[in-house]
Amino acid sequence: MQPSEMVMNPKQVFLSVLIFGVAGLLLFMYLQVWIEEQHKGRVEKKREQKATSGWGPVSYLRPAPRIMTRGKTQKPIINQNPKFHMLEDPKEKFPVNSEMPTGILTEIHLSQKEDQVLGKTTRSSASKLIAKQQRTKNFFRKFSEMNWPLENRPLNKSLVKDHKWKNTDVTQEKRRSFLQEFCKKYSGVSRPQSHLFHMVSRIYVEDKHKILYCEVPKAGCSNWKRILMVLNGLASSAYNISHDAVHYGKHLKKLDSFDLKGIYMRLDTYTKAVFVRDPIERLVSAFRDKFEHPNSYYHPVFGKAIIKKYRPNACEEALNNGSGVKFKEFIHYLLDSHRPVGMDIHWEKVSKLCYPCLINYDFVGKFETLEEDANYFLQLVGAPKELKFPNFKDRHSSDERTNVQVVRQYLKDLTRTERQLIYDFYYLDYLMFNYTMPFL
C-alpha cells in the first residue's frame, strides 16, 4: 500500500470525529443520569433515617416507656394498654381471684423538685432503656434448636374425678393458651444444646408421678418442695419438714443432674409445672424476708455492698454488718446496671429462671390462687387423695403476708420514675403471665 493511500481525506476525518463525539456525549448523558439516581437514593435514605432516628424499633418485648431521643427529650410514655394484654375472663374488667396488682400503685402529683429529678432520670436513662429494649429483643434469639416439642400437649385429666375443679380447669387452659400464643407471637426462639443444662438447672424432678417443677422463689416454692418430698416417699407429711431440710437437705433431684437423654425424655413425657406471682409483690416479699430479719448471708453479702454504694455517709456499724438496708436503697441496687453484687434468684425474673418460652410448661399456677391451683395439679398427676398443699407460712409466721396493701406501703416512698423502672425491669414477666400493668 502506498503512503498516499494511508492518508484519510478531510471528509473521513470529520465523520470519525463526529461519531466519536456523539458516542462520548451519549456516554456522558448516561453517566449523569446514573449519578443523579444514586444521589437521589442516598438523599431519600438519609431522610428516612432522619425521620425515624429518634425512635427505637417497635417491639412489645421492650420496656414500656418509648423514649424520644431526637430534639428535646420527652418524658416516658406509659402504655396503659399493651397490645397483647388479654384478661383471663374477657367478660370481666379485671381478672378474678385478685390476680392483678390493680390498686397497688396510686397516682402521686409530682412536686417541682421531683419533676426535675424525673427529667434528669429520663435523659440519663434514655440510652439505657434503648439498650435494654435491644437485649429484650435478643432474649429469645440466642439459642439454637432443641429436640423437644414446640407445642403444648393436652393435659391428661383422666385422674380428675371431682367436678369442683371445672372453673379451675377453665382458668388453667386460658393461662396455658395465653403463654403459648404469646411465645409464638414474640419469641422467634432458637436454642443451643450448650445452654440446656443451665436452662433446666432450677427444675426439680419427681419420677414416681412424673413431675417437673420449676422453682420460683417467693411463689410458694418451699411448700412445693415439701410436696415433692412427700411424693418421693422422703416424708409422710409436708407439715413435718423443716425449712432447712427443704432448702439445704439435698433430698430432691434437679433436672440438670441427668444426662442429655434423661433430660430430653423427662421434658417430653413428664408434666411440667411453674408457679408464678405478681413481679412487684414478689420483689417486696423477697426484700422483707432477706433484709428485714437477721440473715447470715444476705446482710454481709448484699447488705454491706448496697449500703456502701447507695447510702451517703453510712455509719461504721451499718457498713460492717450490712443490716438495715432500706427498700429505696434495694431498688437502686436492683436497677443499677453496674450492681456491686450480682442478681439473686429471689428477685430474678421468671423469664430467666424457668425460660417459659423455651420450655413448654403444661401447668401455669399463680401464687394468687396457690392452694386451688396446687391441689388441682395434684389431682392431675394422681397424687394420694389425702395429700393437700400446705397453707402455712414457711418463715416469719408472725409477719403479715405480703399483699396489695403491704406493697403499697413500700412503694409510696419511691418516685414515679423509680416505680416505672421497676415495672420496666419485670416487663417481660408481666406480659408472659398476663398480669395487669400497675397504675404508675
Side-chain angles (χ1 to χ4, degrees):
M1 183 179 291
Q2 298 299 321
S4 60
E5 295 178 351
M6 295 179 61
V7 178
M8 296 178 66
N9 60 48
K11 188 176 181 180
Q12 288 176 320
V13 171
F14 174 77
L15 215 67
S16 298
V17 171
L18 182 62
I19 291 173
F20 281 111
V22 171
L25 180 62
L26 291 173
L27 179 62
F28 173 77
M29 292 172 64
Y30 171 79
L31 289 174
Q32 187 177 29
V33 171
W34 182 83
I35 291 170
E36 286 178 354
E37 287 179 350
Q38 293 297 312
H39 177 70
K40 182 178 179 181
R42 285 195 296 268
V43 169
E44 291 297 326
K45 187 174 181 180
K46 287 181 180 179
R47 285 177 181 172
E48 182 180 350
Q49 290 175 344
K50 186 177 181 181
T52 59
S53 63
W55 298 95
V58 176
S59 169
Y60 288 96
L61 293 184
R62 58 164 172 72
R66 199 173 178 205
I67 305 300
M68 194 178 200
T69 57
R70 168 167 42 89
K72 183 179 179 181
T73 304
Q74 304 291 322
K75 293 181 181 180
I77 300 173
I78 302 171
N79 178 12
Q80 295 288 357
N81 295 292
K83 180 178 180 181
F84 199 66
H85 180 69
M86 178 178 70
L87 299 178
E88 290 188 353
D89 185 353
K91 296 180 181 179
E92 299 291 335
K93 185 176 181 182
F94 299 109
V96 295
N97 300 325
S98 301
E99 291 185 350
M100 74 291 185
T102 305
I104 290 180
L105 300 173
T106 56
E107 182 67 36
I108 297 177
H109 297 290
L110 298 179
S111 65
Q112 185 177 0
K113 182 177 179 181
E114 185 177 348
D115 222 0
Q116 292 173 353
V117 172
L118 178 62
K120 289 180 180 178
T121 306
T122 302
R123 287 188 292 272
S124 63
S125 63
S127 59
K128 292 180 182 179
L129 287 175
I130 293 170
K132 197 168 162 188
Q133 168 186 322
Q134 188 60 43
R135 289 197 302 272
T136 308
K137 285 179 62 181
N138 293 335
F139 177 77
F140 291 119
R141 297 177 182 172
K142 62 183 179 180
F143 303 99
S144 64
E145 288 300 323
M146 275 187 150
N147 299 321
W148 62 54
L150 294 178
E151 300 291 336
N152 280 351
R153 63 177 182 271
L155 279 171
N156 179 8
K157 302 170 186 177
S158 61
L159 298 174
V160 180
K161 306 298 182 183
D162 198 330
H163 292 292
K164 73 176 184 179
W165 302 111
K166 183 177 180 180
N167 291 337
T168 308
D169 177 67
V170 170
T171 300
Q172 182 57 218
E173 289 299 335
K174 288 180 180 179
R175 290 175 187 167
R176 280 160 40 91
S177 297
F178 183 89
L179 179 60
Q180 184 178 5
E181 290 303 316
F182 174 85
C183 294
K184 278 183 181 178
K185 190 167 185 178
Y186 295 114
S187 64
V189 179
S190 57
R191 318 157 178 156
Q193 295 189 9
S194 61
H195 289 266
L196 173 61
F197 288 93
H198 171 71
M199 288 166 54
V200 302
S201 63
R202 305 229 57 83
I203 297 179
Y204 286 87
V205 179
E206 199 281 294
D207 284 312
K208 183 178 179 181
H209 297 84
K210 296 185 176 181
I211 297 171
L212 297 181
Y213 163 72
C214 186
E215 177 189 26
V216 177
K218 313 311 298 180
C221 70
S222 297
N223 283 337
W224 256 118
K225 287 193 276 189
R226 288 184 172 92
I227 288 291
L228 295 179
M229 289 175 70
V230 172
L231 292 174
N232 264 309
L234 300 171
S236 58
S237 171
Y239 290 86
N240 298 331
I241 307 173
S242 69
H243 175 86
D244 287 351
V246 167
H247 292 285
Y248 310 118
K250 307 292 184 183
H251 301 296
L252 298 171
K253 294 180 181 178
K254 288 187 177 180
L255 192 52
D256 63 349
S257 65
F258 297 88
D259 59 16
L260 282 175
K261 183 179 179 181
I263 292 174
Y264 286 135
M265 182 274 291
R266 287 169 175 80
L267 285 170
D268 192 34
T269 60
Y270 283 24
T271 303
K272 302 176 288 295
V274 60
F275 277 72
V276 299
R277 185 177 187 177
D278 173 80
I280 294 180
E281 187 173 298
R282 177 172 165 252
L283 176 70
V284 172
S285 177
F287 172 79
R288 296 177 73 201
D289 180 26
K290 303 307 177 186
F291 294 100
E292 292 187 348
H293 297 274
N295 191 297
S296 59
Y297 173 73
Y298 285 90
H299 289 190
V301 174
F302 288 88
K304 289 169 68 173
I306 290 173
I307 291 172
K308 182 179 180 180
K309 183 167 185 179
Y310 307 107
R311 183 182 298 179
N313 305 316
C315 68
E316 197 68 28
E317 182 181 359
L319 290 170
N320 288 334
N321 58 35
S323 61
V325 171
K326 298 174 183 177
F327 186 66
K328 193 178 185 76
E329 295 167 341
F330 175 65
I331 295 305
H332 287 173
Y333 146 78
L334 180 77
L335 301 176
D336 189 350
S337 59
H338 301 288
R339 301 183 191 95
V341 280
M343 282 293 288
D344 182 83
I345 60 171
H346 290 83
W347 46 85
E348 181 61 277
K349 307 162 193 175
V350 177
S351 53
K352 288 191 174 182
L353 290 173
C354 297
Y355 297 91
C357 281
L358 304 178
I359 298 172
N360 298 303
Y361 288 95
D362 304 297
F363 194 94
V364 180
K366 289 192 173 183
F367 185 83
E368 291 78 6
T369 52
L370 179 57
E371 285 187 62
E372 181 182 350
D373 292 346
N375 287 324
Y376 177 54
F377 179 80
L378 291 175
Q379 292 280 310
L380 288 171
V381 297
K385 290 185 178 181
E386 64 275 9
L387 181 61
K388 305 296 180 187
F389 192 82
N391 59 4
F392 63 86
K393 204 167 184 286
D394 189 49
R395 292 198 302 170
H396 317 308
S397 56
S398 61
D399 290 357
E400 181 183 4
R401 285 185 181 273
T402 303
N403 54 33
V404 170
Q405 291 72 32
V406 171
V407 170
R408 184 184 296 119
Q409 294 302 312
Y410 280 82
L411 296 183
K412 70 179 183 179
D413 294 329
L414 302 181
T415 66
R416 188 169 67 178
T417 300
E418 289 167 340
R419 298 197 300 273
Q420 175 67 52
L421 290 175
I422 295 172
Y423 174 78
D424 295 344
F425 186 84
Y426 290 110
Y427 185 70
L428 197 57
D429 283 3
Y430 268 102
L431 289 187
M432 275 184 170
F433 300 109
N434 197 23
Y435 279 106
T436 304
M437 174 188 280
F439 182 61
L440 300 174

